[in-house]
Amino acid sequence: MKVKVTGIPVLDQEKALQFYTEKLGFIKKHDVPLGENNRWLTVVSKEEPDGIEILLEPAPNHFEPAKTYQSALFEAGIPYTQFNVDNLEEEYGRLINLGVDFSMKPTEMGNVKIAILDDTCGNRIQLIEMV
């Protein structure tokens, strides 16, 4: 058994697609209309185009418990998920230059360095570099 797809709830799929591709640098893998303006919309890492797909799910718009959970995590400052980077300072600088908002600047914590960003679609995302 292996993971092929993991989901991130987003409030607006088109806005999420723009953020995850234009800012974070992922590439669109699948975009299949599902009706009622919903899509099976996935992105993948440029470094691993055949790797794990991130499903940009419209769940918060159709399932109130998902919206409540997403909102509670965001308000508490808890990241929904984490992406690994090779050089956090470099990635942080690149994203700041693209206008990405961070709730936590790069911070060393033991053998990792982390930063937390706002994906503009209802989630905080943690970036991590192993040091």
Side-chain angles (χ1 to χ4, degrees):
M1 188 179 313
K2 56 184 172 176
V3 177
K4 183 63 181 161
V5 178
T6 187
I8 295 177
V10 297
L11 299 172
D12 181 318
Q13 285 185 300
E14 189 57 38
K15 186 176 179 182
L17 178 61
Q18 289 174 3
F19 183 84
Y20 281 76
T21 57
E22 295 172 13
K23 306 279 182 169
L24 297 184
F26 289 94
I27 54 176
K28 182 168 59 170
K29 180 84 172 194
H30 296 287
D31 190 353
V32 180
L34 298 176
E36 297 182 27
N37 295 320
N38 296 313
R39 300 142 71 179
W40 180 265
L41 180 60
T42 67
V43 295
V44 293
S45 167
K46 285 182 182 178
E47 291 88 22
E48 295 181 342
D50 293 321
I52 297 171
E53 297 176 44
I54 300 169
L55 174 62
L56 303 175
E57 294 188 70
N61 298 326
H62 306 290
F63 188 57
E64 194 60 35
K67 190 175 199 172
T68 300
Y69 177 68
Q70 180 187 32
S71 178
L73 283 179
F74 189 89
E75 292 304 317
I78 299 171
Y80 189 85
T81 195
Q82 157 185 309
F83 300 139
N84 287 33
V85 298
D86 292 328
N87 184 321
L88 185 59
E89 292 292 341
E90 184 179 290
E91 192 65 20
Y92 175 78
R94 184 186 76 78
L95 292 171
I96 285 289
N97 286 336
L98 290 172
V100 174
D101 290 325
F102 281 80
S103 60
M104 176 188 278
K105 295 178 180 182
T107 305
E108 276 199 47
M109 296 185 169
N111 64 342
V112 298
K113 208 184 281 188
I114 67 169
I116 300 174
L117 63 86
D118 178 347
D119 79 350
T120 72
C121 300
N123 305 293
R124 295 188 195 279
I125 305 294
Q126 180 169 284
L127 302 181
I128 185 170
E129 173 190 350
M130 302 303 291
V131 292

